[in-house]
Amino acid sequence: MKVFAISDLHLSFSSDKPMDVFGDGWVDHWSIIKKDWDSKVGDEDVVLIAGDISWGMNIAEAAADFTEIGKMRGRKVIIKGNHDYWWSSYKKVCEAVKDKGVYPLQNNAVRFDGLVVCGSRGWTQPSESSSDEDKAIYRRELIRLELSLSEAAKLKKAGDKLIGMTHYPPFNARFEDSEVTALFEKYGADLVVYGHLHGKNVRVLPVVNKGNIPYYITSCDQINNTLTELADIRYNI
């Protein structure tokens, strides 16, 4: 079983939100992703999608995007991104992706053979200029992340790998330690994926190592619209 990751698909099969207005890196991006996905992923593999999946404003508008994702091979694990306005209650999300090989995460975790995945949306890292509202959202997201990590700890068996997901970066632009990275260290994550960041001028590194944990950027435009292979769990990450 191989493990792959990507994020920020920004699909819009039921809405008029073409991504190519954001630059050449978005021209026909889903077709490029699909071709790469088909060449790499088997039915038993796992694909982590770290948020910003659909531009749909509600479940109905996002349905065509779920159908498209459901056509793709592998077991898809998803978390909410800041643009996933369609993501309402966990029950409704699960019903929307039923029978599509999609596993939503919301204060929980999922286990496959030898692999446990957990995660949460996250929020912008707080700074002196952060508003009280942003600070409050960040605190709530820390609670949600720890709930998911706690569930992962219950599921994890000896020898399992633990992978964490966040949509927002788990550190600031200087890649400094944060309460998010501290949680992943506390629960012994083997690696973490995140997205959200776009554009040629944004400050990113393909992999940032903190506390012996590699953090992978997976925004599709940052990884050339190709899935990042994270691990073959038959071997050490």
Side-chain angles (χ1 to χ4, degrees):
M1 180 178 77
K2 294 182 178 180
V3 184
F4 301 91
I6 196 165
S7 67
D8 300 85
L9 302 179
H10 289 291
L11 299 181
S12 57
F13 286 95
S14 295
S15 56
D16 185 20
K17 295 280 283 190
M19 290 300 293
D20 54 13
V21 299
F22 296 107
D24 293 344
W26 292 97
V27 174
D28 208 20
H29 77 291
W30 178 240
S31 294
I32 298 169
I33 293 169
K34 281 179 62 177
K35 183 177 179 180
D36 180 71
W37 192 317
D38 286 339
S39 72
K40 291 177 177 177
V41 180
D43 291 338
E44 296 304 309
D45 294 335
V46 174
V47 180
L48 311 179
I49 306 176
D52 278 4
I53 299 158
S54 168
W55 277 118
M57 295 299 292
N58 52 52
I59 290 285
E61 286 187 5
D65 301 328
F66 303 149
T67 297
E68 191 71 14
I69 292 172
K71 295 175 185 176
M72 308 307 295
R73 288 196 295 267
R75 295 174 282 186
K76 287 81 66 172
V77 184
I78 63 172
I79 59 172
K80 182 181 182 179
N82 61 303
H83 289 297
D84 287 319
Y85 303 115
W86 54 270
W87 191 301
S88 53
S89 72
Y90 179 68
K91 181 178 180 181
K92 289 181 179 178
V93 172
C94 288
E95 184 64 28
V97 299
K98 185 179 179 181
D99 301 324
K100 291 180 171 60
V102 176
Y103 301 80
L105 294 181
Q106 184 171 305
N107 302 340
N108 62 340
V110 61
R111 183 182 184 274
F112 307 105
D113 293 337
L115 173 68
V116 179
V117 184
C118 64
S120 185
R121 178 187 63 180
W123 199 249
T124 304
Q125 289 293 312
S127 66
E128 291 182 359
S129 61
S130 297
S131 68
D132 289 342
E133 181 182 6
D134 280 331
K135 290 177 181 177
I137 294 172
Y138 179 79
R139 304 307 306 178
R140 288 198 296 270
E141 287 295 324
L142 285 177
I143 293 170
R144 289 170 178 150
L145 178 59
E146 185 150 29
L147 285 171
S148 184
L149 283 161
S150 297
E151 290 302 308
K154 296 174 185 177
L155 293 176
K156 194 171 184 287
K157 298 181 180 181
D160 283 356
K161 300 298 181 183
L162 174 60
I163 295 182
M165 303 170 67
T166 65
H167 178 65
Y168 280 84
F171 30 64
N172 60 23
R174 296 183 296 277
F175 310 113
E176 293 175 327
D177 292 342
S178 71
E179 291 172 283
V180 176
T181 60
L183 281 175
F184 283 124
E185 290 179 32
K186 174 182 175 181
Y187 285 88
D190 289 286
L191 63 82
V192 176
V193 302
Y194 66 98
H196 186 63
L197 300 177
H198 301 296
K200 297 178 180 179
N201 297 321
V202 70
R203 187 177 181 185
V204 297
L205 293 171
V207 184
V208 176
N209 288 289
K210 299 187 71 61
N212 295 317
I213 301 172
Y215 291 80
Y216 289 77
I217 179 71
T218 60
S219 308
C220 62
D221 63 317
Q222 299 295 333
I223 56 175
N224 299 316
N225 293 317
T226 59
L227 276 67
T228 295
E229 184 172 354
L230 300 172
D232 184 326
I233 66 162
R234 293 172 296 180
Y235 307 100
N236 290 328
I237 293 174

